[in-house]
Amino acid sequence: MTAQPSARGDVAVVVPAAGAGVRLGPGAPKALRLLDGEPLLVHAVRRIAASPSVAMIVVAAPPADVDAVHTLLSAVAPVTVVAGGAERQESVAAALAVVPPELGIVLVHDAARCLAPVSLFERVAATVRSGADAVIPVLPVVDTIKEVDADETVRGTVDRSVLRAVQTPQGFRAPVLRAAHAAAADAHTDDAGAVEKLGLPVHCVPGSDLALKITRPIDLALATHLLTIPDPAAPPA
Ligand code: CTP
Ligand code: MG
């Protein structure tokens, strides 16, 4: 199901949303679980569509739910919906395959990070536009991190000042992301990892607490409260 790219911007956003949500417990696929009465995917697409840079949104949905997801999202924004794959990178590849070459910037954004604010999409897109091949939003690591042996004995304490927790949207010059996916033989949990393997630099920008990934039930509880917090960088309504 396809919607044509608009002339509004230079960015396509690819949204992997085909995961089962096993860690969230039994129920519908994670992207279709409800947060404050609406599916996570609706929250995510609403924010993506409000980002001025975005010309096209491609969602990779659970294969059995492609039609339902298209119907659901058509009320929110023009979207293209494709069937996702068994692994996240297959879902990203399926969505990337329908992005037309004239869109020079691609952002990959997990539906599970459904409260990522407009300002974050714009920050990542602007950094790619200003010349970076690959851009990731990051936060400092707040916990002390230990390296352990197989028997759970501590081997040492990691210097957390050089560590970053990585979020989405991750942004790329479109040809770089296509080349990274084409070259990626093994599994990678994020798309920037595939770009790293090409030997290209990946640039970090500040992430957002609102872009947390909904993974476990406690994250849904936290997200319900976060819905009441406005995007601090958004212009007044
Ligand atoms: N995803 C996808 N296709 C897959 C697996 C994951 O599109 N085969 C998407 C998920 O829908 C999610 C994002 O990738 O938006 C990040 O994955 P994750 O948070 O691990 O979600 P799930 O795989 O659904 O959760 P779980 O691992 O608990 O099953
Ligand atoms: Mg998963």
Side-chain angles (χ1 to χ4, degrees):
M1 295 226 176
T2 305
Q4 291 305 307
S6 76
R8 209 169 129 217
D10 53 359
V11 172
V13 184
V14 159
V15 186
V22 171
R23 288 170 287 180
L24 212 45
K30 179 158 68 179
L32 300 176
R33 305 275 185 111
L34 300 185
L35 170 63
D36 195 32
E38 291 185 305
L40 301 191
L41 188 53
V42 168
H43 289 280
V45 167
R46 189 178 293 130
R47 285 160 178 76
I48 296 166
S51 302
S53 294
V54 174
M56 184 185 198
I57 303 170
V58 186
V59 174
D65 299 313
V66 168
D67 289 344
V69 165
H70 190 263
T71 302
L72 175 74
L73 295 178
S74 292
V76 181
V79 291
T80 299
V81 183
V82 300
E87 301 293 336
R88 181 186 178 279
Q89 71 187 75
E90 293 170 24
S91 298
V92 173
L96 186 60
V98 304
V99 174
E102 60 266 25
L103 290 172
I105 298 174
V106 178
L107 268 48
V108 181
H109 180 56
D110 290 338
R113 297 186 189 271
C114 63
L115 301 186
V118 168
S119 57
L120 191 59
F121 291 95
E122 291 302 311
R123 185 182 309 148
V124 171
T127 308
V128 178
R129 206 175 283 123
S130 64
D133 280 329
V135 177
I136 57 174
V138 302
L139 291 177
V141 172
V142 292
D143 293 316
T144 295
I145 305 287
K146 303 284 186 190
E147 193 181 352
V148 297
D149 289 325
D151 67 354
E152 292 290 316
T153 305
V154 171
R155 193 183 291 165
T157 305
V158 179
D159 174 12
R160 75 178 175 204
S161 70
V162 297
L163 299 180
R164 301 290 181 269
V166 179
Q167 304 179 317
T168 71
Q170 300 189 350
F172 307 90
R173 283 202 309 112
V176 168
L177 182 60
R178 289 197 178 92
H181 266 262
D186 50 354
H188 49 269
T189 56
D190 75 336
D191 301 279
V195 171
E196 290 159 40
K197 286 179 184 157
L198 290 183
L200 293 172
V202 175
H203 188 80
C204 297
V205 296
S208 166
D209 289 330
L210 294 176
L212 87 162
K213 184 157 75 93
I214 293 178
T215 305
R216 299 154 301 164
I218 195 170
D219 300 319
L220 269 178
L222 180 57
T224 303
H225 287 285
L226 289 177
L227 273 174
T228 64
I229 299 175
D231 176 356

